[in-house]
Amino acid sequence: MAGGDRRRGWAAALGGPAAALAALTACAGPAQYYEGTGVHDTTAADLAGTWQNSTGTNVLLRPDGTALFARLDGQDFDFGDGWRLSGAGTWQLTDRQGGQVVRLALTARTGVERRSPAPTATASPPPPPAAYVWSLHVGRDRQGGVGLFFFTGDPDAGDTYVLTRAVPGP
């Protein structure tokens, strides 16, 4: 086989896989290749306290590394299953190359609710997990305040579930 024929043979052999790879990566959304917030200066003491969102989720991160939470939805594709977990667990602040992440682990489930309205699915969703781990990205708002978030649903959508520090009552 001549040099030109050999090159055409390699090009033909690699063309199919290269085209498939290009098609797969073309639909990759922001969450799928998310590199982080770039925040590296938050301490565990900055995060200790109560966090909430607009749907009634409440997360208490205690200074000793334990956590209590109520009505916390699943992240990524698990969000579509519609369950909301309550219970106790642990949390730990980690620092990755792309930014800090809080690893929140449910170790003792005390309750399960279904999000309303229920997600529309063609099949029955799987049962809610007895144990679960969330990865909450640490971010900052424009004023420098700390916030926590994770991605929900299809990674192509880039939808986020945001937790903000609870405002103390009167």
Side-chain angles (χ1 to χ4, degrees):
M1 187 182 283
D5 291 337
R6 221 176 276 149
R7 281 188 295 259
R8 278 191 293 279
W10 279 108
L14 295 175
L21 180 62
L24 287 173
T25 58
C27 65
Q32 191 166 358
Y33 297 109
Y34 185 67
E35 295 182 17
T37 61
V39 173
H40 296 281
D41 62 348
T42 305
T43 66
D46 294 333
L47 298 173
T50 303
W51 297 84
Q52 61 190 15
N53 80 359
S54 61
T55 65
T57 297
N58 198 24
V59 177
L60 172 61
L61 303 178
R62 294 179 172 152
D64 66 358
T66 60
L68 294 174
F69 40 93
R71 297 178 301 280
L72 186 57
D73 294 275
Q75 70 180 65
D76 299 326
F77 284 108
D78 293 336
F79 183 79
D81 292 340
W83 46 256
R84 308 186 83 201
L85 301 178
S86 295
T90 61
W91 72 280
Q92 180 180 21
L93 177 63
T94 61
D95 199 347
R96 300 178 181 172
Q97 183 176 352
Q100 292 175 304
V101 174
V102 172
R103 182 181 178 277
L104 178 62
L106 169 68
T107 57
R109 187 178 80 185
T110 59
V112 175
E113 295 178 24
R114 289 284 172 185
R115 193 169 54 250
S116 181
T120 56
T122 56
S124 299
Y132 195 79
V133 177
W134 292 263
S135 292
L136 307 170
H137 299 280
V138 178
R140 293 210 180 266
D141 62 23
R142 292 181 184 175
Q143 292 77 33
V146 177
L148 301 172
F149 70 94
F150 58 83
F151 292 100
T152 62
D154 186 335
D156 289 340
D159 294 330
T160 56
Y161 190 95
V162 178
L163 295 168
T164 57
R165 186 164 306 277
V167 178

